[in-house]
Structures are given as structure tokens and as C-alpha cells.
Amino acid sequence: MPDITKHLQQQINEARNQGHKLAIVGAGSKQFMGRKINAEQLDVGGHSGIVDYQPLELVLTVRAGTPLSEIETALAEKNQMLSFEPPYFGDRSTIGGTLACNQSGPGRPWWSSVRDQVLGVNLINGKGEKLRFGGQVMKNVAGYDVSRTQAGAMGTLGVMTEISLKVLPRPAITMTLSRKMEHSEAIRFMNARAAEPKPLSGACWLDGTLYLRLSGAHSAVEATAKHWDIPVMADGDTFWQQLRNQQLEFFAGEQPLWRFSINSTAATPPLKGPWLLDWAGSQRWYRGDSEMATMEALAEKAGGQVSLYRGGDRTGEVMHHQQPALQAIQKRLKHSFDPDALFNPGRLYSWL
Amino acid sequence: MNTDSKPLNTAASKPGKTELAEMFRKFIDPQFVITDEETLKPYECDGLSVYCVMPLLVLLPETVEQVQQVMRLCHQYRIPVVARGAGTGLSAGAMPDAGGVVLSLAKFNRILHIDPLARSARLQSGVRNLAISEAAADYGLYYGPDPSSQIACTIGGNVGENSGGVHCLKYGLTTHNILSVEMVTVDGERVVIGSDGLDSCSMDLLALITGSEGLLGIITEVQVKLLPTPEIARVIMAGFGTVDEAGAAVGGIIAQGIIPAGLEMMDSHAIIAVEAFTGAGYPVEAAALLLCEVDGTKEEVQEHIEKAEALFRDFGATSIRTSKDDAERALLWKGRKNAFPAMGRISPDYYCMDGTIPRAHLGQVLNEMQDMSKRFGLRVANVFHAGDGNLHPLILFDANKEGELERAEAFGSDILELCVKVGGCITGEHGVGVEKIRQMPMQFTDPEIEQLNAVKSAFDPQGTLNPGKGVPTLRNCQEYRAINAKPQAPEVQHA
């Protein structure tokens, strides 16, 4: 695939001259996230391909529109992986969208998030300038960390064109342990296991059942499974795969899906409706109708934040509100990258 | 914050030193508003003592409210504020401003809470790095990043610099190991960035703050993640006949799917100096030495140590020694940890650089560095965080000899330019500060510099937080590009 950075810059400059707004779209698989906006589409899905991959340095550089599947196929050939286990929403989900929406899967507390693994980005700002921040090395403290700042910004700070990431070796083996357990006991249990120096790589609770994943050297995984004495689950990989890609029955249907990112040990908010606990309790999913303000109060009590991840009213705010001083800073930051507010206006917050 | 309004005060109405000190003494314990030359003196520099400036005042507030009041006053009168932790920084990031105050966080030294089940700790920003792991040890937990100054350096300073250490290939930098910070903005607002959760809504301000060198706000509290202490750790020391073989062996380990907890390399100059200093038993005949630490469960470490030993042999190791217990592990690390002081023994002064390179270019970079060494007439020894490509060339010089410091700096500048040329960067973990501000235009274009300055303005419109550090002005960039690579005397900016 050709490098279409110049073409993207042209489109941005045109939009700027004509006073148009732009909705940045890769594969469009995460359109359900954020707020509904009206803007002309800027298609970055065509900006695709692996630019450089150095397995011995654990460093990968890809164009932002590259599908996750293409990246993971290339990594698998060298027995490596995207350690943050990005969710696929369909076959075409891209790395750019994954970073912009800060999406990481079940291994995140142990294997880092997409944000953590970012080493550098190339970005076109709202003035149509192509900028490069970070690089292809793991340690780099020159300039502010603009690359990782993109995580969760949902494209409001610019159009990412290239992303460099740290990748990791695939674990030698993976094993899933599972047993019945009551909700609050599971919270305590998952955290206690995470505090042990064992090769834990997943801890989830759903529907009265606890799931733990062990990954690493053969000897370590086997010894830990024996030590913890929890039954091994056959075909555990399928469970984690479905959890990662939100294909479990829990995620089906039209009920609003809320995401709580909170203290892993907090008591689950008292809401009627189904819960799924992931990340040893740090990420909790809830299905049900509610008001943003109600949910925010519950999330804050649990030491964190909430977002209306999917469904519900997407014309109101869907992200946890910001402290006024931080809101003011973010407005100025947005202005510094995108003075004419071209990119995804209102996608993240009505005021951004 | 109203950025459009006219400044409240012009220079004419700016209070003088005495007047200002009186204002601060109304809400800070008077003895902690330092004005006399003798007590101010220790604050004139950080760990990079070639850059010295006497500040107007030094303040040691004891509460966040006091920090807020300081910031409001300084904002009102446009007085520069330089935050300071333990002053161990190596890029003059905490060098004072002659017309400004140094805001020391030394009194913010309380560990507020350790939550062993949630594996986190809340700390005031002046808590020492090592004190965190010491306090967490009772619960079988520790704090990951371990910069070499960890006995003294503070967590607030670590956030400011995004500090790493020898274990960051596996456990990450500060940015990977913190959950939230409490920060006082330039106009005195108290904000919390991040939460107890692993991520927060919206753009990642926590990432932006981490490594911002005190240019965006004053960190007063930090919540860190704690990690379970590995059951066991062992280190292999392997000597190699050439640097290239050692570099290839590092790649070989990674290719095996092993991520060592630490993976350090030293060149022969460093090996010889260190062995003379510590007597740790390093192979002085080797051209390169690798220290490879593996940690984890007992079973895992056994498995990986066997694999790694075999692999080092395959890659031509001339000597291999593996620690049998923690005492021997400490001994093998002792040399590496004393690499800098060891240089002090063979040279009156040394200048430590901090570039990062893609590891594949290691051989080329070291060879070119030897050529430069001849050209500048100065010796250079190398210690290298091989796992993550962070190179610390130690340039040996004598500051008492006319022109040697200037040559050392020019040599250093050339090394950094080389790092950028092979796809690396000018600083891996020490920060830009004042020291590397002239090299920023090597790594960044004008529009990038402009964007970085615009980020700064979003937090600090009047530019009073740690002015003259981190990011150069565009005008200075053009000047630096014109004169880079020519020997320059260190130039200290006075207000």
C-alpha cells in the first residue's frame, strides 16, 4: 500500500480552507464509541502497511490504518505478539483506532496497555503539518510524551499516520484455571493472586465463575497451577479470545454497556443487572439503563471513572466528566494541536 | 486561568527579594523561606554541577495549600518557579532561575498509604524512590523503576524525568508504573490526573505530565503501582571477545522469547575501570561484558538461566559466571552499579551522556565513538542498557585543563547527533534540562518544536514554570543549528 500522508495533508488543508470538520475513520469498527458527530469523513484506512519490524529489538513500526490482523500475522511468524491484546470489532479493526480509543484486552494489567507500548507516533496536526514524536526506541525522554497522550484522545489532537510499538515474545504456554466463586469473594481472590509473584496473565469473573489465566515458561505455569489447586479449564483460550473481542453472551444485545475503570479491590457498585469483572477487578462492565451522573458518582466512590461504552444516549456526554481546571487545560491543548477544531469535534466531549 | 488579560503586574511593580520573602513568610514557616547566600548555595545546581545559578529564594513548603499559595503569588507577579526534589538530576533540569524561586518538595516526604491487596502506594512527591520498595517489602511487593540514584532521588523527580533504571526492559519506566498524580497548576489549582483505575477517560494527560521536567505543573502526590517481588533472581555475567558478539547475544536472548529483568553491557574501558575499583571479578581481558538478570518463579528462572547460558556459549562467550545466591548476585551487580564512581578514580572528571540507539547499530556507534575519541583527544568508556538501547558514554576529562570541558561537551554533542542519525534519540532517561536543549533541534523540526512549546503554553501560558529548560524557543533552535558541533562554553541563562 502506498504512503498517502501527503494526500491526507491535502485533505486536511482543504477542509481547513473551506471550514469543514473532519471525522477520522480507519476501518470504522469503533464508530459506536464516543459521541455522535456530524462531519466529513477523513479515511485513513488506506494508509496501511508495516513500515519496519525488528523482532530482535522488539520494535514494530506500522501505518496507522494497518489492520490488527495483518500486524498479528507478521508478529506470529517471529513468535511475538501485541501484548496488549487489542480487541477486534470485526476483521478490519486498525492499530490507529486501537490507540486512539486506548483499547486493550484481558492481559493488560500484566502485559501493559496499547498506551504503554507506544514508542512514537507520526501525527498530522490541524495546521496540516506532519510531526514526529517519540521514536523507535524504548527509552526516549526528549520532548513531552505526545505519543502516549494520543491514547484515549479519540483523534481530537490530530491524525496519526504512523505508530511505533514495543512488542513482546509469545508465552511458551498458556493455561486457564476456573472455579465457581461468589462475586465479592472473587474480587478479593483475584487481587490476592495478582499480588503473588506467579505468571498470572488474566483474571476475570462472570456469572458466578472465576477465570484465571497463566502464561509463561512451561515449568512456571505448571507449578503455579498445582500450587493454587484450581481446576484446569479445557479450551480456555476460546474464553479469553471471546472476552478480548467482546463476543461473550454478556456483551450481546442492545442494553447500554458501561465501563468502569476503578480500584481493583473496590466493592462493585450496587446496581441491578449483570456485571463482568476483568483485569482482576480493575475493569468492570455493567449492562443496564442508567444516568451518567449516577454512574459517575458510583465510579468515583470506587476510586475511578466510568464511560458509556456502547449503546444508550450518544448525544449527551459518554465519558466521565473532567475537573474544571483539567477541562480548561484540555481545551487549550486541543487548540494547540488543532486551532480550527477540525478533528472529531465533540466526539470525546461536547466541549472538545 | 485567564490568559487573555493583561499582566497584573509589570516589572516595575514586581516585589523585590525582601518584599517577596516577607509575603511567603506570611504562610510558610519563616525558617523555610531561605534568602541568605550561604543556605541558598546548595541549591545552585542539581547533579550536573557544571551548570550553576543562584536563585532569588528557596521555599520549602510543608502542605499542598502552601504550594498553591506559592504558585498563586508567583503567577500573579510572573516569578519563575523551579521545582526540586533531591537534586540528583543529570541534565540541570533543577538549575535555579536567577530571578525566580526554587520550590523544594523536601518536606513532602510521607508515605501516605500502602494498599497491599490493590498493589499500590500513595506517596507525597518528596518520598525517596528506594523508601517505597523498603516500605512495600513487608507485603512482598516493590516499586519497579530503580534509577541508579534511587537511594536519594524522589518519586516526584522520577515523574518529572520519567526515570527508568536497569530493570525497565521488563518492568517499564515511571510512566508504566504510576496510576495518578496530584498536581498544582501554575495558577495554584489542585488537580488529580489519573485515578485508582488503570486508565482514565480522554487524552492521556498522565503520560504528558510524566517526563515533563517540571515545565507543566508541580507534582505534590503520586500513586504508584507495586509489583510482587519475584521469588528469585539470578544473574549471568558473560565476557565476549568483541562488542558485536555481545550485541548479537543480546538479540539471541530476545529471539528465545526471554525478557531478562536486566540486560547490561560494558565495553573494555568500563570493565577495566570498574574491576580496578570494585574487584568484583569482572573479566578484564574481555572486549565486552554482559550482565543478564533473569527473575520469576524458581522453575522459570532455572529454565531461562540454562537456556541463556547455552546461548551465550553459542554466541562465543569467553567466560560465563552465574550467581548462585543473592550475595553473589549483588557482587556481580556491584561493578555495574559503581561504574560512574569508578570513572572518578581514573579521571578527574567525567561527563555522562544518555543517548538511545536501536541496538542493531551498537557496533557502528561504538566504533565511530572511538574515532571521535581520537579526534577530541579524550577517552570514553561505555555502559549500556543493552536491552532497551540506552547508551551511557562516559567522557573522561579534566576540568582544570584549559578547554577540556568544552571539548568534552562538543564530543558529547557529536555522540548525540550520531544517536539521532542511526534512529535513536538524545536522551533516554536523564532528560533535556539545560544540558541538552541545544541538541533538541537535532531530533525535532521547527514545527515539532513549535508544537511542544504550544503544549507547554496550554499548561503555563506565561512560561514561568522552569523556564529555559526542556524545549528551546524556535529562535534559539535556529541559532543552535548554526553553531552545533562547534565547541561551546556552557552558557548559563540569567533572568
Side-chain angles (χ1 to χ4, degrees):
Chain A
M1 297 272 255
D3 180 340
I4 61 163
T5 306
K6 284 214 169 68
H7 179 59
L8 291 170
Q9 283 175 286
Q10 260 169 21
Q11 286 175 281
I12 290 164
N13 284 328
E14 269 167 37
R16 196 180 183 208
N17 292 335
Q18 292 166 7
H20 293 167
K21 304 294 177 192
L22 294 171
I24 307 165
V25 180
S29 70
K30 288 183 264 300
Q31 294 284 18
F32 65 88
M33 291 183 200
R35 298 174 70 256
K36 261 210 170 68
I37 58 165
N38 283 317
E40 222 171 84
Q41 279 206 0
L42 180 71
D43 181 10
V44 293
H47 192 58
S48 169
I50 293 172
V51 178
D52 190 29
Y53 173 32
Q54 299 293 333
L56 296 186
E57 312 235 354
L58 302 172
V59 176
L60 170 81
T61 300
V62 290
R63 294 198 182 120
T66 314
L68 296 171
S69 53
E70 183 181 333
I71 296 170
E72 294 210 292
T73 304
L75 294 179
E77 282 173 21
K78 300 290 179 188
N79 206 26
Q80 294 185 340
M81 63 175 187
L82 292 175
S83 63
F84 45 91
E85 302 188 296
Y88 285 64
F89 301 100
D91 302 335
R92 300 281 310 158
S93 284
T94 66
I95 188 65
T98 299
L99 176 57
C101 299
N102 197 19
Q103 296 293 301
S104 300
R108 188 257 179 266
W110 302 274
W111 289 341
S112 300
S113 62
V114 59
R115 170 265 198 204
D116 287 342
Q117 302 294 50
V118 167
L119 303 175
V121 301
N122 288 1
L123 180 87
I124 308 173
N125 67 8
K127 293 188 265 183
E129 296 167 330
K130 187 182 147 187
L131 309 174
R132 175 175 178 267
F133 296 102
Q136 279 94 45
V137 288
M138 281 170 213
K139 284 163 93 176
N140 184 350
V141 293
Y144 305 112
D145 195 346
V146 172
S147 319
R148 292 193 178 95
T149 308
Q150 303 307 317
M154 296 194 84
T156 52
L157 300 180
V159 180
M160 286 186 278
T161 53
E162 221 171 272
I163 299 170
S164 292
L165 294 161
K166 180 180 175 185
V167 299
L168 285 180
R170 286 152 78 105
I173 60 162
T174 289
M175 188 185 281
T176 302
L177 311 178
S178 169
R179 57 170 278 203
K180 292 276 167 215
M181 195 173 281
E182 182 271 325
H183 186 133
S184 55
E185 167 63 8
I187 294 172
R188 197 201 59 77
F189 191 87
M190 288 191 291
N191 278 285
R193 296 294 78 74
E196 290 181 41
K198 299 293 181 191
L200 190 63
S201 68
C204 169
W205 178 92
L206 173 65
D207 228 359
T209 304
L210 169 83
Y211 302 86
L212 299 178
R213 183 175 64 178
L214 298 171
S215 305
H218 285 264
S219 52
V221 167
E222 277 153 15
T224 304
K226 201 171 153 202
H227 176 67
W228 282 353
D229 194 23
I230 304 170
V232 175
M233 178 186 174
D235 199 23
D237 288 352
T238 305
F239 172 81
W240 297 105
Q241 183 82 5
Q242 290 178 340
L243 173 64
R244 166 180 175 172
N245 296 331
Q246 300 181 11
Q247 291 161 332
L248 294 167
E249 186 59 31
F250 174 88
F251 292 101
E254 296 304 311
Q255 277 278 74
L257 175 65
W258 300 83
R259 176 178 183 270
F260 286 79
S261 178
I262 53 176
N263 189 310
S264 59
T265 62
T268 296
L271 293 169
K272 282 208 169 81
W275 283 93
L276 185 155
L277 278 51
D278 196 5
W279 297 0
S282 184
Q283 174 175 255
R284 301 188 202 179
W285 300 95
Y286 172 75
R287 303 300 303 262
D289 289 307
S290 186
E291 297 294 322
M292 196 64 196
T294 311
M295 300 302 251
E296 284 177 331
L298 293 170
E300 281 170 24
K301 199 166 166 246
Q305 299 193 343
V306 67
S307 59
L308 178 53
Y309 190 86
R310 187 197 276 267
D313 174 14
R314 307 212 73 85
T315 58
E317 300 296 353
V318 296
M319 297 285 171
H320 202 103
H321 71 273
Q322 297 283 332
Q323 259 179 281
L326 291 181
Q327 180 172 339
I329 286 172
Q330 289 180 58
K331 278 184 179 175
R332 291 196 296 268
L333 268 177
K334 162 78 174 172
H335 185 76
S336 81
F337 281 92
D338 182 15
D340 300 309
L342 297 179
F343 303 129
N344 289 358
R347 181 87 194 266
L348 196 47
Y349 289 101
S350 60
W351 45 265
L352 198 71
Chain B
M1 174 185 324
N2 188 346
T3 59
D4 301 327
S5 65
K6 293 237 166 65
L8 291 169
N9 286 275
T10 59
S13 65
K14 208 177 227 182
K17 176 170 171 169
T18 316
E19 206 183 332
L20 201 57
E22 279 319 304
M23 288 182 189
F24 289 127
R25 283 184 175 131
K26 285 192 181 123
F27 59 90
I28 296 176
D29 186 341
Q31 61 173 322
F32 298 132
V33 176
I34 299 169
T35 55
D36 67 290
E37 193 114 342
E38 192 185 341
T39 324
L40 287 176
K41 189 76 178 159
Y43 294 91
E44 68 174 353
C45 66
D46 61 12
L48 186 61
S49 58
V50 294
Y51 295 93
C52 292
V53 171
M54 284 291 274
L56 195 63
L57 297 170
V58 172
L59 306 174
L60 289 92
E62 296 175 274
T63 67
V64 178
E65 290 72 20
Q66 289 173 355
V67 173
Q68 289 180 275
Q69 273 178 285
V70 168
M71 296 312 289
R72 281 188 209 113
L73 260 180
C74 290
H75 186 61
Q76 186 184 347
Y77 294 110
R78 295 197 172 203
I79 295 163
V81 179
V82 178
R84 182 183 175 99
T88 56
L90 292 172
S91 57
M95 184 190 84
D97 187 288
V101 304
V102 167
L103 183 62
S104 165
L105 279 310
K107 304 248 165 235
F108 284 68
N109 58 1
R110 281 190 304 129
I111 294 177
L112 300 170
H113 182 62
I114 291 184
D115 186 339
L117 192 61
R119 292 148 282 128
S120 66
R122 274 204 310 125
L123 318 151
Q124 288 189 316
S125 56
V127 169
R128 290 177 306 113
N129 174 295
L130 189 61
I132 308 168
S133 290
E134 285 171 352
D138 291 346
Y139 307 102
L141 301 169
Y142 76 107
Y143 176 62
D146 58 345
S148 57
S149 55
Q150 72 174 151
I151 292 172
C153 67
T154 65
I155 187 65
N158 290 175
V159 171
E161 301 294 332
N162 192 17
S163 306
V166 295
H167 292 104
C168 55
L169 174 64
K170 185 167 178 182
Y171 297 107
L173 307 157
T174 304
T175 196
H176 303 107
N177 287 279
I178 60 174
L179 292 167
S180 65
V181 299
E182 179 190 77
M183 183 177 93
V184 176
T185 63
V186 73
D187 55 347
E189 293 275 348
R190 186 176 184 164
V191 296
V192 175
I193 299 172
S195 75
D196 295 358
L198 294 175
D199 53 32
S200 297
C201 289
S202 194
M203 58 188 79
D204 202 321
L205 293 183
L206 192 58
L208 200 56
I209 294 301
T210 310
S212 64
E213 303 194 21
L215 272 77
L216 305 182
I218 307 293
I219 308 294
T220 48
E221 196 181 303
V222 184
Q223 186 178 200
V224 302
K225 295 180 201 171
L226 299 174
L227 299 166
T229 310
E231 286 176 4
I232 187 170
R234 294 179 73 190
V235 62
I236 304 173
M237 178 176 76
F240 290 86
T242 67
V243 166
D244 285 336
E245 280 174 343
V250 170
I253 287 281
I254 304 285
Q256 283 276 316
I258 298 171
I259 301 293
L263 193 51
E264 295 290 305
M265 192 190 290
M266 296 165 78
D267 70 5
S268 66
H269 303 286
I271 298 168
I272 291 165
V274 155
E275 182 56 21
F277 186 69
T278 62
Y282 282 21
V284 290
E285 73 291 347
L289 176 135
L290 281 184
L291 286 170
C292 172
E293 181 162 293
V294 177
D295 69 5
T297 67
K298 288 184 215 68
E299 302 83 9
E300 186 179 16
V301 169
Q302 184 62 32
E303 193 175 318
H304 286 167
I305 284 283
E306 283 167 15
K307 269 191 193 172
E309 283 176 342
L311 191 132
F312 286 154
R313 262 182 226 106
D314 290 347
F315 277 87
T318 48
S319 65
I320 289 184
R321 177 173 165 189
T322 304
S323 68
K324 283 167 211 69
D325 51 34
D326 277 353
E328 190 176 10
R329 183 167 70 96
L331 178 71
L332 294 182
W333 274 114
K334 191 177 162 193
R336 168 62 186 88
K337 292 197 169 171
N338 284 292
F340 293 9
M343 295 305 149
R345 208 175 117 150
I346 60 167
S347 171
D349 299 284
Y350 65 88
Y351 186 34
C352 176
M353 305 310 295
D354 174 45
T356 301
I357 55 168
R359 200 186 334 100
H361 298 284
L362 179 65
Q364 177 201 342
V365 168
L366 291 186
N367 284 334
E368 287 195 32
M369 227 186 273
Q370 289 312 320
D371 293 344
M372 289 181 199
S373 172
K374 286 185 198 118
R375 189 148 44 86
F376 285 97
L378 295 172
R379 291 174 294 166
V380 62
N382 272 288
V383 295
F384 183 51
H385 301 301
D388 46 43
N390 192 191
L391 195 60
H392 290 312
L394 298 154
I395 301 168
L396 310 183
F397 71 101
D398 184 349
N400 288 325
K401 286 192 186 151
E402 177 75 23
E404 279 217 353
L405 170 64
E406 289 73 18
R407 264 191 289 146
E409 289 197 315
F411 187 175
S413 181
D414 279 8
I415 292 174
L416 296 185
E417 193 167 6
L418 176 61
C419 291
V420 173
K421 198 178 83 186
V422 300
C425 69
I426 60 171
T427 174
E429 56 186 0
H430 294 173
V432 174
V434 178
E435 184 209 13
K436 287 181 278 289
I437 203 155
R438 288 169 180 276
Q439 281 78 38
M440 282 292 279
M442 292 176 181
Q443 193 174 326
F444 295 101
T445 63
D446 282 358
E448 288 158 2
I449 294 282
E450 203 177 350
Q451 183 65 68
L452 291 172
N453 278 315
V455 167
K456 158 83 167 166
S457 295
F459 286 82
D460 177 18
Q462 301 184 347
T464 50
L465 279 169
N466 214 3
K469 317 281 176 63
V471 185
T473 63
L474 270 188
R475 197 164 49 86
N476 285 345
C477 281
Q478 281 141 19
E479 180 198 331
Y480 296 158
R481 283 201 188 93
I483 58 177
N484 263 333
K486 291 181 195 158
Q488 285 294 318
E491 185 182 298
V492 167
Q493 294 175 0
H494 292 271

